[in-house]
Amino acid sequence: MSALDFTPATQLELSRFVAENAQDGRRTLCPVGGRTALQYGYSAPAPGTYVSLGQLNKLVDYPARDMTITVEAGIRIDALQQALAVERQRLPIDIPQRERATLGGALATNTSGPRRFGHGTFRDYVIGISAVDAEGRLFKAGGRVVKNVAGYDICKLLVGSRGTLAIVTQVTLKLRPLPETSAQLWMTIDSFPAIEQRLERLLTSQARPAAIEVLNPAAAALIVRSARCELPVDAPVLCIGVEGSAREVDWQLETLTQELSTTGLQECRRVREHEADRIWEALTEFQTCADDPLTFEANLRPSQCMEFARRATQLGVAVQVHAGNGLVVGQLLEEAATIDKTTAVLNELRGLARVHGGNLVVLHCDAQWKSHLPMCGDPEPSWGLMKQLKQKLDPHGLLNPGRFVDGAMSL
Amino acid sequence: MTTALAESSPVHVRAQQLLARLRSIVGDESVLAEQAELLVYECDGYTVEKKCPDVVVFPTSTEQVQAIVQICNEFDVPFVPRGAGTSLAGGCLPIGGGVMIALTRMKRILEVNLRDRYAIVEPGLVNVHLTQHLKGSGYHYAPDPSSQGACTIGGNFATNSGGPHTLKYGVTVNHVLGAEVVLPDGSVIQLGGTVEDVPGFDLTGLFVGSEGTLGICTKVIVRLTRDPAAFRTMLGVFETVSDATRAISEIIGAGIVPAALEMMDQGIVSALEQAFQFGFPLDAGAVLLIEFDGLEVAVDEEAQRITALCSQSGAREVRQANTPKERQLLWKCRKQAFGAIGRLSPSYCTQDGVVPRTKLPEILEFITDCGQRHGLRIVNVFHAGDGNIHPILLFDERDAEQVQRVLLASDEILAKCIELGGSVTGEHGIGVEKISFMDKLFSPEDLAVMKSIRDCFNPTGHCSPGKMLPTSAGCGNEHLPKTKPGRRAAL
Ligand SMILES: Cc1cc2nc3c(=O)[nH]c(=O)nc-3n(C[C@H](O)[C@H](O)[C@H](O)COP(=O)(O)OP(=O)(O)OC[C@H]3O[C@@H](n4cnc5c(N)ncnc54)[C@H](O)[C@@H]3O)c2cc1C
């Protein structure tokens, strides 16, 4: 059965449509933005109705001096960032495929990238939200001011909820000034343990990096190629990003070079200007750039990451580590292309992540594999409670059913 | 017990049974049930409404909290968590009486892990004790409410507290990775963890700021923040409040995000001077306390830019703290501002509202007018960079008519905040104080969704009843005069 499409022009139209659907028909609804992350979660979107937010893309209010903006959820990320750049502001979250991805989609998948170390994630920037629930009620939470504790913070609940609790229609964001410039320090280092020593040194660095990335040679090669840069990739890479005024950036590069030039360092390059921009972009795109069969994300304690990366490298995985936050994005390369091999690799790596309460989720894989893999990772202790909440807010299971924790429970 | 019922009445017997059960869990010395002992717990920092709980218990472990909650459910009595009781919204008011669960004896720091930048603490830990514990490590816990010397991390978790450094570093929720919570049905649940991005909904984010209505927090996992490399602290002295607010707008507009940007008006400055002789100019209309932090190479340049922007906006002078001691003095005066108010008036009511920062001049003018109209003295000390106002209304609690004027003036100020696109609370919470504003800020649909959420976790409503959400939406109870509650005795 093929899916229908509905593209509302206004939030009210959407609200009416969903209300009618809840009354009769009760088709399942799959909110879509830029269609960049639809494959997330357990099952492929169930046949039902695709609700496209493409036309809900207006800028509602941008009081630049208050450093907030209110926009409809279907706005494309590049359009949003361009509007902000005019006022020398930004939403400091790295989002891949920004010419396609919408704010609503990025928010629903809680997308982030390398600079989450310095700036945080969606939960730190969404201060107000409007959404349509499964019954068609258009509701809001939060507001338009940067500080507000009135009522439950439903903004937090909807960030990362993958369209399973409500369809987000409008968002108010807190903003930050655009930095004057940025740069990276790109170091190839003998081994992962030698990088771990540097990560520990960075904990008390005089600099204040915006990103601390570690790449194994396979990932580094992919990133350098997509950024069209000439940088060494023949050993594990520690890539540290800094932002600020030209003076701050220079000073930090200098300081970091001194602090980190200890044993095990092979090469150290400074990446600047346009090259630095392209590296940021490649680091951001890594999570979605794969032609390969599977991309996963593991969350662990930062101190475990290098051991994890070492093992993943042995298993033939290309890994990017947001080392300050303990997040690892891995791409299984072509060789691992059977389901048995893949399962074995994922099980081992998930086991490593589980040791200190981490987990491993699949971001992207062959649709036919989904039913064989724990897409959302091992069950977390609070999933039962989450399932209750899903049931309370969407009793008929109309919004992206089976895609997230509700799907996980039935495995 | 407070009930004056005959000893043989079934209610009385049941109350005695409840007490015995609670004592068997926490021990005799950790249960208060005598009227004289309970009096301390009749209110928190919001003193307009008062009501004694029937019992106060002091658990020392998650298991004890769990057992207490289970007993409350068995006896069908409400319960309310309490930290240090510094809430300014009546969050700790035991509506309907019942059992107050005081968490102040659960105050251990369970783990500090600097490599992974987190700490696990019990909810009764006083905020500043964590900061003191971390001193010298290069890390700190960023949320710093002005009450940090007394308030607890559990209370901060429940109210999503902010503080002067919220402007740059964010509020409590931005620094909480996870928590352990005893749910209203008595089960224990782990939310989030010591790692980021735990798969599933962000229940941690939902529970922070839920004002004790979704459960009792028994452990908090907090993110630790790197200390600033360098900072500069400045005091801008302005002739008028509107000059000072213009300076704020200019600073933010120039793309500078200071670590803190606090305003004190003439009323508060003169009270501080009387109390502590800090050497503030008594004739200034307003002073701005500005702190900028960043890299050593950058702070001086930024400090100069800020000074220039203040001067352009009409600052009479901009002083800079040149030594740690001078900086400490400036912050001491800011954090002791509330203490100094005792000199101005026997009682005071601290309001908490938010407006977009660019609307600060309008709201401050409104507050001045409002004070004049109601014949009340109002002074201001607040988180100006966030647009988070704290007008302090001075009054005498013994004068019932004055109390009514204070309530009326507060309501007008908050209504104005809504009109200007803001909110009725930036950090103190809705509690009982602001419940009647919820349906002005939110539509029936908004409130219905919030109610579904509460019902999901707290279906019997026994956990912190009568807080945050109006019980019957749109009943228009804001027109009823506020009275001292005592709405229904539980026992
Ligand atoms: C002088 C002064 C200055 C202040 N300055 C600030 C400021 O700068 N910023 C700010 O945000 N606030 C400020 N406040 C308000 C207050 O200090 C905060 O709301 C604080 O977080 C309350 O902490 P507490 O431990 O006193 O909590 P309490 O007052 O005991 O409780 C507050 C609420 O939290 C609930 N609660 C307490 N502990 C738990 C728990 N373990 N689990 C679940 N729920 C719980 C209670 O039921 C209640 O609803 C100030 C108050 C005063 C008196």
Side-chain angles (χ1 to χ4, degrees):
Chain A
M1 185 162 97
S2 76
L4 299 176
D5 260 314
F6 174 65
T7 307
T10 64
Q11 301 187 56
L12 270 181
E13 203 178 297
L14 173 63
S15 154
R16 271 201 297 272
F17 175 83
V18 178
E20 275 164 29
N21 182 63
Q23 288 297 319
D24 52 34
R26 288 198 186 147
R27 295 174 66 91
T28 59
L29 303 178
C30 170
V32 301
R35 297 175 186 265
T36 62
L38 281 186
Q39 74 281 7
Y40 278 27
Y42 277 95
S43 49
T49 306
Y50 282 107
V51 178
S52 165
L53 277 289
Q55 280 188 31
L56 288 179
N57 60 359
K58 284 176 273 308
L59 196 161
V60 178
D61 187 23
Y62 181 19
R65 287 235 151 174
D66 292 326
M67 291 236 281
T68 63
I69 191 168
T70 302
V71 289
E72 289 181 335
I75 192 170
R76 286 196 331 266
I77 296 297
D78 60 351
L80 172 65
Q81 297 289 22
Q82 274 158 23
L84 298 176
V86 173
E87 300 287 346
R88 301 217 43 79
Q89 295 178 352
R90 67 170 167 172
L91 171 68
I93 301 176
D94 298 307
I95 296 161
Q97 301 184 49
R98 58 171 188 263
E99 67 296 337
R100 279 178 65 202
T102 61
L103 178 63
L107 180 154
T109 47
N110 192 19
T111 299
S112 68
R115 280 174 279 200
R116 64 181 281 155
F117 180 67
H119 303 295
T121 56
F122 266 109
R123 82 198 288 274
D124 303 305
Y125 292 92
V126 179
I127 56 175
I129 211 157
S130 302
V132 171
D133 75 0
E135 303 292 311
R137 280 185 299 202
L138 177 60
F139 70 94
K140 66 178 185 307
R144 292 195 184 178
V145 280
V146 295
K147 214 169 156 191
N148 186 1
V149 294
Y152 293 127
D153 194 347
I154 299 174
C155 303
K156 300 287 180 298
L157 195 59
L158 295 184
V159 167
S161 66
R162 299 195 186 172
T164 61
L165 295 178
I167 304 174
V168 177
T169 55
Q170 187 171 303
V171 183
T172 302
L173 298 163
K174 191 166 132 172
L175 304 169
R176 289 275 147 170
L178 260 183
E180 190 182 308
T181 185
S182 72
Q184 295 103 11
L185 202 62
W186 180 279
M187 301 175 135
T188 41
I189 294 165
D190 283 348
S191 66
F192 288 108
I195 295 187
E196 171 59 20
Q197 284 170 9
R198 285 172 177 79
L199 294 177
E200 280 162 25
R201 176 69 190 83
L202 276 170
L203 287 172
T204 51
S205 167
Q206 288 306 303
R208 294 293 181 273
I212 303 177
E213 298 283 290
V214 175
L215 310 166
N216 71 357
L222 286 168
I223 281 164
V224 164
R225 189 168 39 160
S226 98
R228 291 165 281 124
C229 293
E230 295 280 328
L231 290 165
V233 297
D234 41 11
V237 171
L238 172 61
C239 172
I240 305 169
V242 293
E243 297 181 325
S245 65
R247 195 157 153 215
E248 287 171 305
V249 165
D250 284 344
W251 184 87
Q252 293 198 82
L253 289 176
E254 192 55 44
T255 304
L256 287 164
T257 307
Q258 279 173 20
E259 289 175 348
L260 304 176
S261 292
T262 49
T263 50
L265 178 66
Q266 296 184 358
E267 281 191 69
C268 176
R269 299 274 189 86
R270 295 181 183 188
V271 188
R272 292 169 174 279
E273 310 280 330
H274 296 303
E275 250 191 356
D277 293 340
R278 295 204 303 272
I279 288 287
W280 283 127
E281 200 176 315
L283 288 168
T284 303
E285 299 293 329
F286 183 79
Q287 55 187 309
T288 54
C289 75
D291 298 325
D292 289 307
L294 185 140
T295 308
F296 68 80
E297 182 174 280
N299 62 324
L300 1 142
R301 291 193 184 166
S303 57
Q304 296 175 279
C305 286
M306 290 308 98
E307 178 51 25
F308 185 97
R310 194 187 62 79
R311 186 66 192 125
T313 305
Q314 285 173 350
L315 292 169
V317 180
V319 286
Q320 170 190 32
V321 187
H322 304 316
N325 303 88
L327 293 170
V328 183
V329 180
Q331 288 179 14
L332 260 59
L333 302 176
E334 208 52 56
E335 305 84 81
T338 69
I339 181 79
D340 289 343
K341 261 181 156 175
T342 302
T343 311
V345 168
L346 292 185
N347 282 347
E348 177 174 348
L349 292 177
R350 181 179 302 104
L352 272 183
R354 293 301 286 164
V355 173
H356 290 291
N359 214 329
L360 185 149
V361 304
V362 176
L363 297 181
H364 155 90
C365 75
D366 192 310
Q368 285 162 7
W369 289 8
K370 285 194 171 195
S371 52
H372 302 283
L373 299 172
M375 300 292 293
C376 295
D378 280 355
E380 293 284 345
S382 49
W383 277 6
L385 203 59
M386 292 177 195
K387 199 184 171 196
Q388 268 176 39
L389 187 63
K390 162 79 176 160
Q391 237 149 29
K392 186 87 190 173
L393 297 179
D394 180 14
H396 302 294
L398 299 179
L399 297 174
N400 271 343
R403 278 220 42 218
F404 202 19
V405 289
D406 53 338
M409 299 305 288
S410 61
L411 263 185
Chain B
M1 303 297 287
T2 52
T3 43
L5 292 160
E7 290 199 0
S8 59
S9 86
V11 173
H12 182 81
V13 171
R14 216 162 146 67
Q16 290 307 319
Q17 283 169 350
L18 172 64
L19 276 181
R21 290 282 297 283
L22 292 173
R23 288 188 177 116
S24 76
I25 300 297
V26 294
D28 290 356
E29 69 292 348
S30 300
V31 176
L32 303 181
E34 294 300 325
Q35 184 58 32
E37 300 169 323
L38 293 173
L39 211 55
V40 184
Y41 300 93
E42 67 172 2
C43 69
D44 50 28
Y46 178 67
T47 56
V48 177
E49 297 193 53
K50 288 176 181 160
K51 160 90 182 126
C52 277
D54 293 292
V55 196
V56 183
V57 279
F58 296 86
T60 52
S61 68
T62 303
E63 293 71 30
Q64 288 187 355
V65 174
Q66 183 176 25
I68 293 164
V69 168
Q70 282 163 351
I71 292 169
C72 290
N73 285 328
E74 203 180 305
F75 282 77
D76 204 21
V77 296
F79 51 94
V80 62
R82 176 179 162 121
T86 65
S87 164
L88 293 170
C92 302
L93 198 72
I95 291 174
V99 177
M100 178 176 279
I101 304 176
L103 294 140
T104 43
R105 291 189 193 163
M106 290 177 67
K107 57 179 180 196
R108 285 176 302 164
I109 297 174
L110 300 173
E111 186 187 349
V112 172
N113 182 332
L114 290 174
R115 171 64 187 93
D116 293 321
R117 295 188 299 121
Y118 70 83
I120 305 179
V121 305
E122 290 187 326
L125 179 72
V126 171
N127 176 301
V128 82
H129 291 172
L130 182 55
T131 300
Q132 283 162 359
H133 184 85
L134 291 165
K135 218 171 185 148
S137 71
Y139 284 79
H140 67 287
Y141 176 57
D144 62 336
S146 308
S147 52
Q148 71 183 150
C151 67
T152 65
I153 305 265
N156 299 164
F157 175 94
T159 53
N160 193 15
S161 290
H165 289 84
T166 298
L167 179 56
K168 177 166 177 182
Y169 292 97
V171 290
T172 298
V173 72
N174 307 113
H175 302 274
V176 174
L177 282 167
E180 178 189 81
V181 176
V182 175
L183 294 176
D185 69 0
S187 56
V188 181
I189 188 89
Q190 161 86 38
L191 307 174
T194 56
V195 292
E196 296 185 16
D197 286 17
V198 173
F201 304 136
D202 183 7
L203 291 186
T204 308
L206 177 69
F207 272 64
V208 173
S210 60
E211 301 192 31
T213 63
L214 302 182
I216 298 175
C217 165
T218 46
K219 265 179 209 150
V220 193
I221 308 172
V222 298
R223 181 49 97 210
L224 303 178
T225 302
R226 183 83 171 96
D227 292 346
F231 42 76
R232 295 291 178 270
T233 310
M234 286 157 281
L235 189 78
V237 180
F238 294 84
E239 301 290 346
T240 64
V241 167
S242 65
D243 285 350
T245 49
R246 198 164 61 241
I248 294 167
S249 186
E250 290 302 318
I251 292 168
I252 305 276
I256 303 172
V257 181
L261 191 37
E262 303 277 303
M263 188 192 285
M264 290 178 274
D265 73 1
Q266 187 168 27
I268 203 88
V269 168
S270 63
L272 275 166
E273 270 311 294
Q274 280 173 37
F276 304 109
Q277 290 89 43
F278 284 117
F280 282 158
L282 284 173
D283 57 339
V287 299
L288 285 184
L289 178 57
I290 310 165
E291 187 154 285
F292 181 84
D293 71 23
L295 300 169
E296 189 62 59
V297 282
V299 283
D300 281 324
E301 205 175 301
E302 290 297 306
Q304 276 165 20
R305 276 175 75 199
I306 291 170
T307 306
L309 290 167
C310 286
S311 304
Q312 278 166 34
S313 310
R316 185 200 294 173
E317 63 170 319
V318 182
R319 299 180 190 173
Q320 188 169 320
N322 291 313
T323 63
K325 215 170 144 196
E326 283 177 19
R327 172 187 186 237
Q328 227 175 9
L329 190 71
L330 285 179
W331 276 113
K332 190 169 156 204
C333 80
R334 165 63 183 92
K335 297 213 171 172
Q336 290 190 344
F338 287 96
I341 295 161
R343 307 215 158 214
L344 297 178
S345 159
S347 313
Y348 61 93
C349 166
T350 308
Q351 259 315 333
D352 173 34
V354 197
V355 293
R357 322 176 230 258
T358 48
K359 298 287 194 313
L360 278 174
E362 263 170 88
I363 191 72
L364 291 171
E365 206 171 296
F366 182 86
I367 291 169
T368 311
D369 283 357
C370 183
Q372 278 162 4
R373 258 186 293 116
H374 293 285
L376 291 168
R377 184 154 178 220
I378 305 181
V379 296
N380 292 284
V381 44
F382 62 102
H383 314 304
D386 290 316
N388 186 187
I389 58 164
H390 286 329
I392 302 169
L393 297 84
L394 310 178
F395 67 105
D396 185 340
E397 195 177 30
R398 292 158 299 191
D399 179 346
E401 190 269 336
Q402 235 186 79
V403 173
Q404 283 309 310
R405 276 189 278 139
V406 167
L407 292 171
L408 213 59
S410 292
D411 283 4
E412 284 177 19
I413 293 169
L414 296 175
K416 187 74 184 176
C417 287
I418 298 179
E419 188 192 314
L420 293 174
S423 171
V424 297
T425 173
E427 53 181 24
H428 296 168
I430 296 293
V432 293
E433 183 204 8
K434 290 180 177 163
I435 254 183
S436 62
F437 276 96
M438 284 298 276
D439 60 7
K440 300 199 175 106
L441 209 49
F442 295 108
S443 71
E445 289 78 23
D446 307 342
L447 292 172
V449 173
M450 289 186 197
K451 190 170 173 304
S452 307
I453 291 174
R454 188 185 58 187
D455 291 349
C456 177
F457 299 104
N458 185 10
T460 63
H462 277 339
C463 184
S464 303
K467 306 284 162 56
M468 191 194 258
L469 296 181
T471 32
S472 53
C475 65
N477 56 4
E478 69 273 16
H479 301 301
L480 302 175
K482 288 187 186 169
T483 52
K484 319 260 181 241
R487 288 164 192 166
R488 177 175 67 87
L491 292 173

